[in-house]
Amino acid sequence: MSELFDAVDALVASRSPLPPPEERKRLRTAHGLTLEEVAAALKVRRATVSGWESVKKPTEPRGPEREAYARLLNQLAELYPAPARKAPPVASVPTEVTEVAEARAPSGTVMASESVAVPDETVSRAAPGSAVPAAASRPARTTRPSSPSRRPAVREAAPAGRPTAGTDPRFENGPLAVVDIDADGRVLAYCVGGLILDVPAKSLASLVEWTLGEAKLGQPRLAGPGKDADPLIVLTGAALERYGLPVALTDEERLAGRLSERHKVVKQLARADWKLTKRGFGPWARIYRPAQGAERACVQLCIPSWGALDSRHWGDAAQLPPAELTRVLGVYASRVLTPRGSTAVTGLELMTALHPPTRASEPDATGKRHSEHNPGSLGRDPVDCAPCEAPDGHPLLRDLPRFHLRGPEEKLFEEAYDWARPMTDAECTLRHLVGIDVNMAFAAGANGLVVGLGAPTHVEAPVFDPKLPGSWLVDLSHVDLSRVKIGKDRWADLDAGLLPSPFTPKGDRPEGPAWYATPTVAYAAELGYEVRPLEAYVRYENGRYLDGWYNRLRDAYLATMADLGVHADMTPAEFLAAMDGYRERDANLAIVVSAIKATVKGGLGKLRERPRGEGWRPGEPWRALARPTWRPDIRAAVISRTRINLHRKIVRHAAFTGQYPVAVLSDCVVYAADGPSPLDFLPYRDGRPLPGGFKLGVNPGLVKHEGTQSVLWGEEVRERFDAPELNLARYIKDGTVTDVDDGE
């Protein structure tokens, strides 16, 4: 009889109800689980779990796997219930209507998350059911300015920054607001989607109270164990004056990066029991109250006139009217993350937001949960890098002789390309120099990359493993680019003198043993050459830490480019035409594109942040070393893979066309060609690109047209500055040569 019961149980289990694929993925990522972890637990392949979560072509588990999978999803659903759905928002009211409606609640309650830390300090947010004190008794109002010049300039063509159905009710007014003063002297908060709130706050302290109590600003966490984004308040010049703050910092304050601690507003905040982080009241100030149990209260300020929005990354965003600035920052926040500082800081924060260091454990015998390491994250505590990965001045190198210059056999030097060569006689007969640029090159280099999560282990005379992240001391000087392997059983004969070496940023052939990241050594083996490392620092605890980071930034970039009329399914000719002048179609969305790109590069750069003043001396630790996200090995691995990806395409192109690059700078490659377009030298056949070569398109890793100049221009520039190997890729975009410094 028991056998029959077992058979019945198995039959019922084989039909265990499962949520839809998108919900399966949400539950897995909410708990910080990777596909590999789920596959290992269920004893199936990673691709099998991926198929169960596929929206386009989902597969269904069977037999005991289905029962176990259903059990896993049911437990996760208890921990991470689906967010409540809201009705779709009402269509926007014409701007001629001045006042839309009274806010539905004069003061709101803010849901709590676990106590967490902001940079340098611990902060708190109100627990469920505990109201944050309001700044004034009157409710917030939703308004439209009566002055036509102050109406929000939200364009219908790009609704990216508007609230959507399913918005968390705690943050129904969006992630941020730009606070300004209208012509009638009213304080207004411009929110995403054209919404404008009447701000009753008379002081900065009461503005913080109002933001937490009534404004309903913020952003839900990106991962289950993480924390919600704090509301962001952007203060215009007029708002600064209203709240007693200077429109511009003095020279002394600008040098210090903060307002003087003696300023009256800083003292007012202190009297109201608000605190600032150790960075003080600067362009990106964080105002908080210390944690009390599970309570949390923190507001992020952004002050453009103090330099918060770097023009190199945000263009002229600091000069935009409030409604337009709200749109720019709102689109960025909804697609990337609410800005928490510079684009570099936000890029790093995005990594942590997607992989929080800790999560809640299973209940113990008393039913209490505890904080535990979140698998797949970098953890809560920093780890030491390997000596070869340490930048100059690091405490690990304090015993080196003073002024000692480390060579490649002592120091890992994985950097982007900066290489050029003189043109051949045949190339000089051609008419054009055409530059192509890899879209989101470093983001593409991070996609699918296995990186170390823990501390390195030193190994003598190891056997090279291309799947093991680390730093390897190996001699690659024997790799000859005149004959390389380009397929399983296919070799190509090339002119090595016209190619950069893939192993050094300057493209020089290595002269002996040197330290390399795993992707570089793996490429040497891929080219058909034996590699025998002398020693290595490897990381046995590893994973694809940057996959979620890449996916979010890729999606943000593609969505914004699509809003600008550049789509992923275009033909090469259509793509080139769409890219021509795309920034002029919507200058504000073009700013978002630039900010997304800067978030990629800046976030990776932060992984090896150097000392920033503060009286630092070589051999002493600096502030960034205290972060678990200070990981120069991860930065090196991404740069290594990006450079290798580019070299692989260059080699493939040379093997099939006989064309060689004239210059390479980071992710830009310049070729001599008969015509001015990339289509004049890229080998497309019936619309199909060379397999493994360059392909035109908007996706990360594909290429776009960077610029075209004449061959005569290139020769004249090099002759004028007496620099036959001047890197023309640096100036190919517009032909303007501002200096002759051929290094960065």
Side-chain angles (χ1 to χ4, degrees):
M1 184 66 69
S2 61
E3 294 181 358
L4 293 176
F5 287 168
D6 291 342
V8 170
D9 290 343
L11 186 62
V12 173
S14 69
R15 298 293 188 272
S16 296
L18 297 175
E22 57 268 22
E23 176 66 4
R24 302 171 194 175
K25 183 175 181 180
R26 185 192 73 82
L27 291 171
R28 175 179 61 78
T29 56
H31 202 60
L33 298 176
T34 64
L35 290 170
E36 290 84 355
E37 290 172 326
V38 175
L42 301 180
K43 294 183 170 57
V44 297
R45 296 184 302 114
R46 178 184 182 277
T48 301
V49 180
S50 179
W52 296 343
E53 295 181 359
S54 174
V55 177
K56 294 183 178 179
K57 296 182 179 180
T59 58
E60 292 296 316
R62 299 178 180 177
E65 289 84 6
R66 185 183 184 94
E67 179 182 9
Y69 190 45
R71 181 181 179 86
L72 169 67
L73 295 176
N74 288 336
Q75 292 181 5
L76 293 178
E78 293 179 2
L79 294 175
Y80 311 103
R85 294 286 181 180
K86 282 185 60 180
V90 179
S92 58
V93 179
T95 55
E96 287 76 9
V97 178
T98 302
E99 185 164 276
V100 178
E102 292 292 326
R104 283 173 290 184
S107 61
T109 56
V110 184
M111 292 291 288
S113 63
E114 65 278 13
S115 176
V116 294
V118 297
D120 311 319
E121 299 284 355
T122 303
V123 299
S124 64
R125 167 167 290 162
S130 60
V132 179
S137 59
R138 62 173 171 159
R141 290 189 300 156
T142 306
T143 66
R144 299 278 184 180
S146 56
S147 172
S149 63
R150 308 292 286 182
R151 291 174 183 166
V154 179
R155 304 184 187 182
E156 293 295 334
R162 300 186 180 181
T164 59
T167 300
D168 191 315
R170 297 172 297 159
F171 313 127
E172 64 180 22
N173 293 333
L176 56 91
V178 176
V179 176
D180 191 33
I181 313 299
D182 73 355
D184 299 324
R186 293 184 302 172
V187 183
L188 302 177
Y190 291 74
C191 305
V192 296
L195 178 70
I196 304 176
L197 301 177
D198 184 20
V199 181
K202 303 297 184 183
S203 68
L204 188 64
S206 61
L207 175 64
V208 174
E209 302 273 9
W210 174 85
T211 300
L212 294 171
E214 295 188 50
K216 294 189 177 181
L217 297 173
Q219 190 175 39
R221 65 195 69 183
L222 296 182
K227 63 176 182 177
D228 299 325
D230 297 315
L232 173 65
I233 295 294
V234 185
L235 297 176
T236 66
L240 290 172
E241 293 180 335
R242 172 63 62 91
Y243 291 121
L245 292 165
V247 176
L249 297 176
T250 65
D251 291 342
E252 181 180 355
E253 291 169 340
R254 188 167 58 252
L255 185 62
R258 66 182 73 185
L259 197 65
S260 170
E261 295 180 0
R262 300 185 300 273
H263 194 277
K264 63 179 182 179
V265 173
V266 177
K267 293 181 179 179
Q268 288 171 0
L269 290 171
R271 286 196 298 270
D273 294 327
W274 291 107
K275 294 184 178 295
L276 297 165
T277 62
K278 290 182 180 179
R279 296 192 182 276
F281 202 123
W284 290 96
R286 294 181 72 82
I287 304 174
Y288 71 98
R289 281 187 176 137
Q292 296 180 357
E295 295 184 359
R296 171 181 169 80
C298 181
V299 172
Q300 175 86 59
L301 294 187
C302 169
I303 307 178
S305 64
W306 292 7
L309 300 176
D310 191 328
S311 60
R312 294 173 299 175
H313 310 140
W314 290 101
D316 62 353
Q319 285 74 49
L320 291 176
E324 294 187 33
L325 178 56
T326 300
R327 178 172 178 250
V328 168
L329 295 177
V331 172
Y332 179 89
S334 66
R335 292 177 174 174
V336 180
L337 189 70
T338 302
R340 300 183 182 179
S342 66
T343 51
V345 169
T346 304
L348 195 69
E349 289 283 342
L350 180 61
M351 297 180 194
T352 304
L354 293 166
H355 287 286
T358 60
R359 68 179 183 185
S361 68
E362 291 295 324
D364 60 18
T366 64
K368 186 177 181 180
R369 297 180 185 272
H370 304 275
S371 176
E372 66 178 14
H373 173 69
N374 185 26
S377 75
L378 298 182
R380 177 182 290 171
D381 301 317
V383 297
D384 285 334
C385 62
C388 63
E389 297 164 352
D392 295 337
H394 192 278
L396 286 175
L397 310 176
R398 64 165 59 94
D399 294 331
L400 288 178
R402 192 178 183 185
F403 304 121
H404 175 73
L405 185 64
R406 293 187 295 163
E409 72 283 356
E410 297 176 278
K411 179 181 179 180
L412 177 69
F413 193 64
E414 293 283 10
E415 298 294 341
Y417 266 131
D418 185 357
W419 170 89
R421 62 170 176 81
M423 283 185 278
T424 65
D425 291 343
E427 289 168 338
C428 288
T429 64
L430 302 176
R431 299 178 59 190
H432 301 281
L433 293 173
V434 184
I436 53 176
D437 179 82
V438 181
N439 295 317
M440 301 272 283
F442 294 99
N447 181 30
L449 178 65
V450 178
V451 300
L453 300 178
T457 299
H458 185 241
V459 184
E460 295 284 353
V463 175
F464 176 67
D465 182 353
K467 297 181 180 179
L468 188 60
S471 300
W472 309 78
L473 180 63
V474 58
D475 188 351
L476 299 180
S477 60
H478 64 289
V479 177
D480 185 4
L481 294 181
S482 62
R483 183 167 177 76
V484 296
K485 197 174 183 181
I486 59 172
K488 185 176 181 181
D489 297 310
R490 186 170 184 176
W491 291 73
D493 295 320
L494 305 173
D495 188 338
L498 301 180
L499 286 171
S501 167
F503 308 126
T504 61
K506 288 292 184 181
D508 302 324
R509 187 168 179 170
E511 298 178 351
W515 286 99
Y516 303 101
T518 297
T520 302
V521 185
Y523 185 56
E526 178 187 322
L527 292 176
Y529 293 87
E530 185 180 25
V531 293
R532 292 184 179 179
L534 304 175
E535 59 177 305
Y537 288 91
V538 297
R539 288 172 168 82
Y540 295 110
E541 182 187 356
N542 54 65
R544 293 167 59 161
Y545 175 72
L546 295 173
D547 273 11
W549 184 79
Y550 161 78
N551 289 334
R552 187 156 180 90
L553 290 166
R554 174 205 61 197
D555 292 348
Y557 175 73
L558 292 179
T560 311
M561 290 300 292
D563 288 341
L564 288 166
V566 185
H567 302 276
D569 56 355
M570 289 179 162
T571 66
E574 290 172 341
F575 169 71
L576 291 176
M579 287 294 294
D580 187 17
Y582 77 94
R583 290 182 174 274
E584 284 69 38
R585 293 181 200 131
D586 191 322
N588 291 347
L589 284 182
I591 293 175
V592 178
V593 171
S594 297
I596 293 170
K597 292 179 179 180
T599 303
V600 173
K601 291 187 177 181
L604 294 172
K606 277 283 184 180
L607 292 171
R608 199 192 67 166
E609 184 177 359
R610 302 302 305 276
R612 305 178 66 181
E614 303 175 352
W616 175 81
R617 294 182 179 181
E620 297 178 350
W622 58 92
R623 183 192 298 269
L625 298 187
R627 291 193 277 103
T629 49
W630 193 84
R631 293 296 301 271
D633 57 297
I634 296 180
R635 173 187 177 272
V638 174
I639 294 176
S640 164
R641 192 165 187 243
T642 302
R643 192 182 67 247
I644 293 306
N645 284 347
L646 184 61
H647 194 275
R648 185 182 289 110
K649 289 180 172 63
I650 290 172
V651 165
R652 193 82 172 174
H653 186 85
F656 283 86
T657 69
Q659 298 169 330
Y660 295 83
V662 172
V664 184
L665 181 67
S666 186
D667 48 9
C668 177
V669 188
V670 176
Y671 284 90
D674 277 323
S677 168
L679 289 175
D680 291 317
F681 70 92
L682 293 181
Y684 274 85
R685 290 184 180 178
D686 299 325
R688 296 182 178 181
L690 171 70
F694 296 109
K695 178 182 179 181
L696 289 165
V698 72
N699 281 294
L702 306 189
V703 299
K704 63 178 181 294
H705 184 204
E706 179 68 4
T708 296
Q709 306 297 328
S710 68
V711 168
L712 290 178
W713 165 86
E715 288 296 275
E716 187 274 331
V717 167
R718 286 177 164 179
E719 183 177 347
R720 186 188 346 148
F721 294 107
D722 192 23
E725 295 184 2
L726 183 72
N727 196 328
L728 299 175
R730 183 172 280 109
Y731 317 107
I732 195 70
K733 190 167 189 175
D734 59 11
T736 302
V737 182
T738 56
D739 58 65
V740 293
D741 180 13
D742 204 27
E744 290 188 314

